[in-house]
Amino acid sequence: MNIQTHEHDVIVIGAGGAGLRAAIEASAGGVSVGLVCKSLLGKAHTVMAEGGIAAALANVDERDNWKVHFADTMRGGQYVNNWRMAQIHAQEAPARVRELEAWGAVFDRTPDGRILQRNFGGHRYPRLAHVGDRTGLEMIRTLQDHGIHQGMAVYMECTIISLLKDGERVVGALGYYRENGRFVVFHAKAVVLATGGVGKAYKITSNSWEYTGDGHALAYHAGAELQDMEFVQFHPTGMVWPPSVRGILVTEGVRGEGGILVNSEGRRFMFDDIPENYRNQTAKDEEEGFRYCLGDKNANRPPELLTRDHVARCIRREVKEGRGSPHGGVFLDVSWMTKPGAFNNFKDPEFVRARIKDPVEHIKKKLPSMYHQFKELGGLDITKEPMEVGPTTHYIMGGIRVDAETQMSRVPGLFACGECACGINGANRLGGNSLSDLLVFGKRAGEFAAKYAKERSAGRINPQQVEQEMRSALAFLDSPLGQENPFQVQYDLQNVMQDLVGIVRTEGEMVKALERIEELKERAKRASAPGNREYNPGWHTCLDLRNLLTVSEAITRAAIERRESRGAQFREDYPEKKAEFGNRNTIISKGPNGEMQFRWEPIPEMPAELKRIIEEMK
Amino acid sequence: MGKVTFRIWRGDKSGGSFNDYQAEVSEGMVVLDAVHQIQATQAPDLACRWNCKAGKCGSCSAEVNGKPRLMCMTRMDTLPHDQPVLIQPMKAFPIIRDLVTDVSWNYRVNKKIPPFKPRPPDAPDGTWRMGQEEVDRIQEFRKCIECFLCQNVCHVLRDHRRFGQTDTDGNLTSGKGPSEAELFGGPRFMIRVASLEMHPLDTVNRLPLLQKELNIGLCNITKCCTEVCPEHIHITDNGIIPLKERVVDEFYDPLMWAARKVGEALGIRRRKSLPIVKP
Ligand SMILES: Cc1cc2nc3c(=O)[nH]c(=O)nc-3n(C[C@H](O)[C@H](O)[C@H](O)COP(=O)(O)OP(=O)(O)OC[C@H]3O[C@@H](n4cnc5c(N)ncnc54)[C@H](O)[C@@H]3O)c2cc1C
Ligand code: SF4
Ligand code: SF4
Ligand code: FES
C-alpha cells in the first residue's frame, strides 16, 4: 500500500472550538496528536459564532450559579437532555471560560474589570461572556494561537472520508488533501470526531459548506449510534432578503440588546403567546422587557427571548396567517430606540436614558458586525430601519451518542465532542450553550482519548479497507456510473428536507421524504465529477453528498418515530407534548445488512439532588 | 438584472488563462454567489475557498476587477454589468488552482510569534481585572479574520516574492527557502504582535523578534494594507507605527520596555503612543 501514512496516538478530526480544545488537552496528556480539518485552520464554523459563551460566572448577577444554569439548560431541552452532561457542562463551563482568558482571549469587561456577560434566550441571568458580536472569532483565534505551540501536528484542507477499524476498535482514518486529491492514512490509537453539524441538508441555513454531517456519518458507518437526530434547531432570525443572503444568521444578541419582533400590522406578537412554564420569567410589558435588557435585576425578560423553538414557530405562524413582512419574514427592530420620544410612554424613562446616552452609537457598539452585515449585504441601516427576518436551519441537537464523562461512543477508541456529539441540549439548545459545550466536552474528549491511547498499543490497519474506500471515492472521477451533477442532487436534497422535514412536520410528508431520499441516493451513486483530483469542488461534493444523505435519512426516521411535539420538533399531526416520550431518546444505528435501524433508549432516572434543583428553579 | 459575463482565471502552478462564463444576476447578489452558480452549472471543478459567506472567516479573498476583496462581501450592484467582471486569485501568493492560493506561509510566520503569557492573576480566584478602555485598542486588532488581503497588497512582501511553498509532506517545493522566505512578517503579523504587545496582561518581550525576524523596519508606511482591510483595522496608524516607536525606544533604551510593561500592567497609557484612530 503506497500511501502517505502519519502515526499519532490521538487524531482529532475537526478544528473548530471542540477539536482545538480536544487537541490541546490531548497534547497536555503527553501523547502525540494530529489535528485534521477540511478548511484552513481558524476558518471552522466556530469562527461565525456571534452572541457568546454561556457560563455561570456570576460577574453581572451574583444570583447565578451552576444550578441555575443546569436548570435552564434542562428546561430549554424539555428534559430529554442527558442530565449528567448538562450538569457537568454547567459546573465546568466557568473554569473553561477563565482558561480562555489565561490564554489571551479579550472579552468585553464589566465596570469593575471582570468578564462582562449578556442576556440570551432561556438563560435566567446575564450569562454569556462575549466580545461584541464576534465571540466565536475570539474563541477560535485564542485556541488556535495557543494550540499551535502545544506540539500538535496540523493537517489543513484534508477531508476524512472513512474511519479505519481493527475488529471492533477504531485505529485510524483515511482522508484526502483537497489541494491535490492525494490520499492519506492517519494511524492512531484513538480518534476524536469534532466535525460540527449538518445544516447543508437544508436549503435555508446559517451553516457553511462544511456542514455536511461528516462526523455523524463516519461514526454511523463505524458502528456508533446516533441519538435524537430529529432535533434540528431552526434559529428564529435569519436574514430573508435579498435572496442570496437568505439564511445568514442575525444573532440573538439583537433581541438581547432590546430588539423587538413586529408583524406587518405593527403588533409585537410575541406578547400574545407565552408558554406556561415560562410565564413567571417573562416581562409583563414592553418597559419591563427593555429594563431587563438594560440590566435591571428585578425585571423579567421580554418574550422575544423565549426559547428558539418557540420564537421560530411564532414567526412562522405570523407569516402563514398573512401578517408577514414583504419578503416572507417578520420585522426585527432595534431602530425603535433611536426614534425621538421612544421612551416617553415608559413609567421611568430616566432609567433608560441614564443607560443609553446615544441610541445610534449604543447599537453600533453592541452589535457592530450586525450593523456591518446589514449595511453591506442588505443595504440597510439597522439603526434607522427594521430588519426582515425568518427562521433558518442553524444547529443539530442530535448526534453521536457518547458517554457523559469520557465522550467515548460505543465503538472503542472513537470519541466525539462539540456539535457532532449529542446529549447536553435535549430537544432544544439554548444560545451560548454550544460554545461552552465545545470547551467543556472538547477538553474531556481530549483528556480521555489521550488516556485511552496511553493504555493501548496501536491496532492494525486493514489495507483492503483502505483500497476499497479509495476506489469508491475515485469512481466519481475516473469511472462514473452516470452523469448526475452532484450540485443538482445536493440542491434537490436540500429542497426535500426544507419542504418535508422542516420546522413543521407530518408523518405523511416525512414518509414521502424517505422515498425521495432513496431516489436521491441512487442519483448520488451516479454522480460524476469532470476534471482531475486537484482542488476539485465537484468531486468533493460527490463525496460530501454520501454523508448528507445518511444524516438526512437519520433525521427523517427519528422525526417520524417521535410522534409528539417537543422542543425543536413540531408535529402538526401530534401537536401536543406527550409524557410517554418525555423519558426516552431516539437511537439510529447501522444494521447488519447495512440498513438503518431505529430503537428507543430510556433515559435513566435523575438523581434526587438534580431533581430537587429543577423543582427549586421552577 | 439579467446576465453578466464573468472572466475568471483558471489554471494551476504551471500556468492558466481567463475563461468567460455567463451568470444570471439577481438583486442583492454578491460575487461569490456568481462563482457558486458557475460552479454548479458550468464548471464543477472551478476551485475557490469560502466558508461563512458573511465576511467572518476570511476564506474567500480574491481580486475582483483588480481590487483585493472578499468575494462574499462584494455586491454585484457595486460593479458595472456592461463589461466582464474580472476575478483572479490573490497575486502575491503561489497558485494552487484557479482562485485558490497557497497561504501556508502565513501560518509558518504566525508560529514564530511567542504566545501570550499573562502576569500572575490579580484576584485570589485566579482571574484578572482589565478596564474596557484598556482592551478597546487590542480588540481592534483582534477583529482580524486572517483574509491575508493586507499581505497580498503589501509591496514589501510582493517585491520580495519569497513565500516558501511546501507540499503536504512539509518539503519546500518553491520559494527561496524558509530563512529567506520570512524576510518580512507582513501587516497581518505586525498587528498580531501589536495585539500581544499591547495586551494589558502580557509579559513577553517581542520587540527583538519584530526588529530582527519580522523586520518591521522594512515597512515604509504606505498604508496599502490599511486600505484593503475588510475589518477596517487601522493597521498602520494604530498597529505598526506604535510598534516601530517601541522598537526604536528599545534600541536606544532597553529599560523603556520594562518600564512600559510595568506601566501597562498598572493601567498607565504610554506617553509617546499616538492617539488611537477611532473606527
Ligand atoms: C452563524 C452562527 C452563529 C452562532 N452563534 C453562536 C453563539 O453565539 N453561541 C454559541 O454557543 N453557539 C453559536 N453557534 C453554534 C456554534 O457556533 C457551533 O455549534 C459550534 O461552533 C460548532 O463547533 P464544533 O467545534 O463542534 O465544530 P466546527 O467549529 O464547525 O468545526 C468543525 C470542524 O470539522 C472539520 N471537518 C468537518 N468534516 C470534516 C472531515 N470530513 N474531515 C476533516 N475535517 C472535517 C471542519 O473543517 C472544521 O474544522 C452559532 C452558529 C452559527 C452558524
Ligand atoms: S504600510 Fe507597511 S505593512 Fe502596510 S502595505 Fe505598506 S509597507 Fe506593507
Ligand atoms: S488585518 Fe485586515 S486585511 Fe489583514 S488579514 Fe486581518 S482582516 Fe485581513
Ligand atoms: S466566505 Fe467567509 S469571508 Fe467570505
Side-chain angles (χ1 to χ4, degrees):
Chain A
M1 196 171 54
N2 184 16
I3 147 169
Q4 190 190 113
T5 302
H6 294 285
E7 307 276 343
H8 288 287
D9 292 309
V10 175
I11 159 118
V12 179
I13 304 172
L20 276 163
R21 189 63 190 82
I24 289 170
E25 200 62 20
S27 300
V31 301
S32 135
V33 179
L35 177 64
V36 189
C37 50
K38 286 216 273 200
S39 296
L40 295 171
L41 191 60
K43 311 293 183 197
H45 227 78
T46 300
V47 84
M48 295 163 71
E50 295 163 357
I53 314 178
L57 297 163
N59 286 354
V60 172
D61 194 318
E62 61 291 347
R63 291 172 297 183
D64 203 10
N65 58 52
W66 77 263
K67 294 177 183 169
V68 192
H69 192 182
F70 166 77
D72 287 350
T73 303
M74 293 298 293
R75 188 186 306 109
Q78 309 259 349
Y79 305 104
V80 290
N81 323 49
N82 177 323
W83 45 260
R84 179 61 187 146
M85 279 174 80
Q87 179 189 15
I88 293 174
H89 168 254
Q91 287 172 326
E92 297 182 1
R96 295 288 81 76
V97 171
R98 293 197 188 108
E99 190 171 69
L100 285 185
E101 182 154 278
W103 294 345
V106 187
F107 293 101
D108 287 350
R109 318 305 298 179
T110 61
D112 66 347
R114 293 182 298 166
I115 296 173
L116 181 62
Q117 299 181 274
R118 69 155 51 117
N119 288 311
F120 238 57
H123 292 283
R124 178 166 244 171
Y125 302 121
R127 191 176 281 146
L128 270 69
H130 62 277
V131 186
D133 48 13
R134 54 162 193 87
T135 314
L137 172 65
E138 188 68 19
M139 174 158 156
I140 204 160
R141 204 64 85 226
T142 302
L143 291 171
Q144 172 187 352
D145 288 337
H146 179 76
I148 53 171
H149 295 286
Q150 309 307 309
M152 63 187 72
V154 181
Y155 306 91
M156 299 196 290
E157 298 205 302
C158 177
T159 307
I160 299 297
I161 55 171
S162 175
L163 296 177
L164 304 173
K165 289 183 77 177
D166 179 358
E168 280 306 293
R169 193 183 149 193
V170 164
V171 293
L174 169 71
Y176 66 88
Y177 288 109
R178 294 165 61 77
E179 173 178 344
N180 52 25
R182 264 175 47 193
F183 289 104
V184 51
V185 165
F186 297 95
H187 187 195
K189 296 173 188 166
V191 174
V192 179
L193 290 170
T195 54
V198 307
K200 275 286 151 193
Y202 288 82
K203 184 167 142 194
I204 300 174
T205 176
S206 64
N207 295 174
S208 81
W209 70 269
E210 291 197 301
Y211 267 23
T212 50
D214 294 9
H216 294 81
L218 291 169
Y220 167 82
H221 290 297
E225 292 176 317
L226 301 180
Q227 176 179 322
D228 291 348
M229 292 296 283
E230 69 275 28
F231 296 130
V232 176
Q233 180 166 75
F234 300 93
H235 194 290
T237 58
M239 291 176 82
V240 297
W241 190 257
S244 75
V245 298
R246 191 162 191 147
I248 292 181
L249 192 74
V250 181
T251 174
E252 191 166 315
V254 174
R255 285 168 283 144
E257 299 297 347
I260 59 173
L261 289 166
V262 184
N263 66 19
S264 61
E265 295 163 2
R267 187 172 174 79
R268 200 167 158 191
F269 56 88
M270 287 307 300
F271 271 109
D272 299 341
D273 182 359
I274 298 166
E276 214 32 66
N277 57 339
Y278 280 97
R279 196 168 290 280
N280 293 338
Q281 302 182 7
T282 307
K284 307 279 168 300
D285 55 32
E286 308 199 353
E287 180 170 3
E288 181 181 356
F290 194 49
R291 287 175 73 105
Y292 173 90
C293 295
L294 294 177
D296 178 355
K297 291 180 185 165
N298 298 317
N300 281 311
R301 66 166 86 94
E304 276 82 2
L305 291 179
L306 287 162
T307 52
R308 291 178 174 174
D309 51 338
H310 178 74
V311 180
R313 273 194 300 277
C314 290
I315 292 177
R316 188 179 173 277
R317 179 196 64 215
E318 293 303 308
V319 175
K320 209 170 162 200
E321 293 175 7
R323 295 183 296 273
S325 64
H327 302 104
V330 294
F331 298 105
L332 172 61
D333 192 10
V334 282
S335 70
W336 70 270
M337 58 182 96
T338 70
K339 302 278 148 50
F343 317 120
N344 280 358
N345 51 5
F346 283 7
K347 290 191 281 296
D348 182 7
E350 285 322 307
F351 177 89
V352 177
R353 291 198 190 110
R355 282 160 184 80
I356 304 186
K357 304 265 172 335
D358 178 346
V360 172
E361 280 311 309
H362 178 79
I363 294 169
K364 285 191 195 164
K365 167 79 194 159
K366 291 286 182 180
L367 302 164
S369 66
M370 281 304 109
Y371 176 74
H372 192 64
Q373 179 173 315
F374 273 89
K375 194 108 207 196
E376 309 233 335
L377 294 175
L380 182 151
D381 181 344
I382 65 170
T383 67
K384 296 205 174 77
E385 287 173 79
M387 305 160 242
E388 270 187 79
V389 296
T392 180
T393 311
H394 185 57
Y395 183 89
I396 184 156
M397 276 68 74
I400 302 160
R401 179 174 162 81
V402 290
D403 175 68
E405 313 289 330
T406 64
Q407 300 286 293
M408 191 161 93
S409 70
R410 75 169 180 184
V411 180
L414 182 63
F415 298 74
C417 55
E419 189 169 341
C420 71
C422 174
I424 122 150
N425 297 304
N428 176 53
R429 173 179 74 93
L430 299 185
N433 268 2
S434 170
L435 293 187
S436 42
D437 163 27
L438 310 182
L439 295 172
V440 168
F441 293 106
K443 173 180 186 291
R444 280 180 170 257
E447 178 183 337
F448 286 96
K451 186 159 173 286
Y452 178 95
K454 277 195 219 160
E455 290 163 357
R456 278 168 191 76
S457 56
R460 202 186 70 90
I461 291 207
N462 174 356
Q464 269 112 40
Q465 191 193 353
V466 174
E467 280 298 335
Q468 193 199 329
E469 295 291 351
M470 292 197 300
R471 216 172 317 120
S472 93
L474 285 178
F476 297 110
L477 274 174
D478 301 340
S479 48
L481 299 173
Q483 286 301 320
E484 287 285 351
N485 174 348
F487 294 101
Q488 187 62 44
V489 181
Q490 184 178 35
Y491 186 73
D492 292 346
L493 174 65
Q494 289 166 343
N495 277 324
V496 168
M497 294 302 285
Q498 187 76 36
D499 296 344
L500 304 176
V501 200
I503 187 165
V504 172
R505 300 166 174 177
T506 64
E507 187 116 4
E509 287 186 342
M510 289 193 286
V511 168
K512 211 183 311 155
L514 280 182
E515 288 165 14
R516 299 288 313 279
I517 290 170
E518 279 313 308
E519 293 160 22
L520 289 164
K521 276 194 203 159
E522 288 308 311
R523 285 175 58 197
K525 283 185 198 146
R526 295 196 304 273
S528 95
N532 61 29
R533 280 162 74 171
E534 283 170 21
Y535 221 111
N536 183 341
W539 183 44
H540 304 163
T541 304
C542 291
L543 297 169
D544 293 345
L545 247 182
R546 308 191 290 191
N547 302 327
L548 265 184
L549 283 158
T550 304
V551 294
S552 298
E553 181 178 348
I555 292 169
T556 311
R557 288 193 187 278
I560 290 176
E561 295 294 335
R562 187 173 281 282
R563 292 185 176 85
E564 66 155 350
S565 295
R566 178 181 299 270
Q569 153 113 331
F570 185 75
R571 292 279 303 252
E572 207 160 48
D573 42 357
Y574 300 96
E576 302 301 323
K577 187 153 70 181
K578 292 192 195 156
E580 59 191 284
F581 289 106
N583 58 1
R584 41 183 168 155
N585 299 115
T586 62
I587 303 283
I588 298 275
S589 63
K590 190 170 170 178
N593 303 316
E595 77 289 2
M596 203 172 263
Q597 287 183 329
F598 175 87
R599 72 178 176 86
W600 287 103
E601 170 78 23
I603 299 175
E605 181 83 10
M606 201 185 300
E609 178 208 345
L610 295 183
K611 274 190 192 154
R612 208 168 328 115
I613 294 174
I614 287 175
E615 267 319 300
E616 280 166 18
M617 308 284 167
K618 271 232 161 95
Chain B
M1 283 197 223
K3 280 206 187 304
V4 173
T5 303
F6 290 82
R7 187 160 291 168
I8 304 179
W9 195 87
R10 303 289 314 266
D12 56 24
K13 295 194 243 299
S14 58
S17 60
F18 284 97
N19 285 21
D20 281 2
Y21 303 91
Q22 300 270 313
E24 193 68 46
V25 172
S26 59
E27 190 178 342
M29 198 159 140
V30 294
V31 169
L32 184 63
D33 291 316
V35 171
H36 282 159
Q37 199 189 105
I38 291 163
Q39 207 177 49
T41 55
Q42 305 165 52
D45 62 344
L46 166 58
C48 82
R49 282 198 184 103
W50 72 284
N51 277 53
C52 68
K53 208 173 166 291
K56 295 193 164 78
C57 72
S59 303
C60 64
S61 309
E63 298 191 2
V64 178
N65 286 348
K67 291 210 181 68
R69 306 291 302 259
L70 295 176
M71 288 190 283
C72 71
M73 295 303 277
T74 306
R75 278 174 66 128
M76 285 304 301
D77 55 18
T78 61
L79 304 173
H81 289 187
D82 52 356
Q83 59 206 57
V85 175
L86 201 68
I87 312 179
Q88 291 162 269
M90 285 193 282
K91 280 200 201 77
F93 297 106
I95 291 284
I96 290 178
R97 223 188 108 123
D98 303 343
L99 302 178
V100 176
T101 56
D102 183 348
V103 292
S104 60
W105 176 83
N106 294 287
Y107 289 86
R108 291 198 295 280
V109 176
N110 191 36
K111 209 168 167 176
K112 289 183 148 192
I113 301 173
F116 172 75
K117 195 157 166 273
R119 69 182 182 224
D122 301 335
D125 64 355
T127 59
W128 289 269
R129 299 290 178 270
M130 295 181 267
Q132 186 62 45
E133 328 69 63
E134 277 183 277
V135 300
D136 273 343
R137 71 158 24 167
I138 60 166
Q139 281 187 336
E140 177 188 7
F141 306 140
R142 295 183 67 89
K143 286 195 308 196
C144 170
I145 57 175
E146 297 208 321
C147 64
F148 306 129
L149 287 172
C150 57
Q151 304 286 80
N152 178 46
V153 295
C154 173
H155 71 99
V156 183
L157 287 177
R158 279 204 180 187
D159 291 350
H160 287 278
R161 277 211 172 269
R162 279 176 181 153
F163 308 102
Q165 193 177 18
T166 54
D167 65 16
T168 47
D169 298 319
N171 302 317
L172 211 65
T173 55
S174 71
K176 290 271 178 89
S179 52
E180 282 170 278
E182 274 127 20
L183 260 181
F184 180 56
R188 158 58 187 139
F189 297 103
M190 296 302 158
I191 62 142
R192 164 126 162 78
V193 173
S195 79
L196 289 161
E197 281 296 296
M198 301 179 198
H199 195 305
L201 308 183
D202 182 66
T203 57
V204 181
N205 181 2
R206 298 176 192 78
L207 298 181
L209 170 96
L210 271 181
Q211 190 182 10
K212 301 204 184 75
E213 287 194 64
L214 303 181
N215 286 299
I216 190 168
L218 290 177
C219 161
N220 50 7
I221 322 192
T222 55
K223 300 196 184 184
C224 316
C225 49
T226 305
E227 272 164 35
V228 297
C229 176
E231 287 292 305
H232 308 297
I233 301 170
H234 298 91
I235 305 174
T236 17
D237 290 348
N238 289 351
I240 297 179
I241 294 174
L243 283 182
K244 274 175 172 277
E245 272 187 50
R246 289 180 178 208
V247 168
V248 171
D249 281 355
E250 145 128 342
F251 186 72
Y252 291 109
D253 182 5
L255 281 179
M256 268 300 289
W257 176 81
R260 189 186 45 253
K261 278 279 167 180
V262 172
E264 259 163 18
L266 299 172
I268 302 166
R269 180 72 49 75
R270 254 186 90 229
R271 179 176 41 87
K272 278 183 73 180
S273 66
L274 297 182
I276 298 179
V277 179
K278 284 282 175 209

